[in-house]
Amino acid sequence: MRYARSSVRRAAVGVYLALAAQIATFACLVVFEQARGEALARQVAQLGADPAAPGAAAVTGAMTWFAVLILLVVAATVAAGFSYFAWLRQAGATPGMIAIAWFVPVLNLAAPALLLHALREDAGLREGRRKVWLVMVAAWWASWLGILFLIGSRLPVTGAPQGKDLTGLGVPELAVAVLAALLCAVTVHEVTEARMSARPSGIAPRLKLLPALRSLPRHTYPARD
């Protein structure tokens, strides 16, 4: 039991570090966009797809940095996702629960928040704490959906700069991303501490075994003299 509790705490630390890396790389991308994005996108649009066009070499270095930042943001986001799923597993969610909640279309618009709430309730949720917890979960999920919407609506459909900017990402997107990361960390901390302080009674595991025990064949033994 002590090992299981330490495992969920280590998994939570992994989530915190991955979220920090995600926000750091995303902030660097936004700063690059604000500093060079508009001018660089205009230069790329003027050059077209010809790498031998006059002036193409002048933007190669900047575009390389831009590509590196994009890769870092993607890598940090993937790492954050894997670390969060690993934490969910340590917190008590089964792989099936995680897959259904996060990867079934339409259902994944609300199921991840419901799964998180179920884990918190399973660890013991006092009635006086319930409203605060529900507000945190709702705010986290709303901010997460908000950043997905903002990024999806800002990025160019063709994947190429349209002459105005490179990604369309700016301070509003960064602010919502920071809010989503902070609320994610807060909810992870809440569930983790609840799991660490909970004292399982052992009743639930035995109840899960009752159907299997009832299905076992019953044997009768002769009475001993």
Side-chain angles (χ1 to χ4, degrees):
M1 182 60 65
R2 182 178 300 177
Y3 174 76
R5 292 183 178 183
S6 61
S7 295
V8 69
R9 177 161 285 176
R10 285 198 300 270
V13 172
V15 175
Y16 305 149
L17 294 176
L19 288 173
Q22 183 187 35
I23 293 302
T25 54
F26 191 73
C28 290
L29 179 61
V30 170
V31 169
F32 183 89
E33 174 72 56
Q34 297 299 306
R36 298 289 307 278
E38 185 175 351
L40 192 58
R42 186 165 52 249
Q43 290 176 314
V44 171
Q46 290 173 352
L47 293 173
D50 185 8
V59 301
T60 300
M63 287 303 296
T64 300
W65 277 109
F66 171 70
V68 169
L69 287 174
I70 290 290
L71 291 176
L72 288 176
V73 171
V74 172
T77 301
V78 171
F82 275 108
S83 64
Y84 188 78
F85 294 150
W87 171 80
L88 284 175
R89 188 72 182 91
Q90 293 297 329
T94 65
M97 291 178 185
I98 298 171
I100 292 173
W102 281 88
F103 300 111
V104 175
V106 181
L107 188 63
N108 58 10
L109 293 176
L114 296 176
L115 174 59
L116 186 65
H117 176 62
L119 292 175
R120 181 65 183 90
E121 280 203 321
D122 187 58
L125 181 58
R126 300 191 311 272
E127 193 61 34
R129 182 69 177 168
R130 183 178 298 274
K131 290 183 179 180
V132 176
W133 165 251
L134 290 176
V135 169
M136 285 195 299
V137 173
W140 162 65
W141 193 241
S143 61
W144 170 249
L145 293 179
I147 189 61
L148 291 180
F149 173 78
L150 287 174
I151 292 177
S153 62
R154 296 278 184 166
L155 291 179
V157 177
T158 61
Q162 302 299 311
K164 183 179 179 181
D165 45 32
L166 294 172
T167 63
L169 301 176
V171 176
E173 289 77 19
L174 178 59
V176 178
V178 170
L179 178 62
L182 288 175
L183 290 172
C184 181
V186 169
T187 54
V188 167
H189 177 76
E190 173 87 10
V191 175
T192 299
E193 293 306 309
R195 287 282 176 182
M196 294 292 292
S197 60
R199 294 183 178 180
S201 62
I203 295 176
R206 288 200 295 271
L207 287 176
K208 292 178 182 178
L209 291 176
L210 285 179
L213 291 176
R214 291 195 185 100
S215 65
L216 291 177
R218 297 182 179 276
H219 299 279
T220 58
Y221 298 93
R224 296 182 180 179
D225 295 334

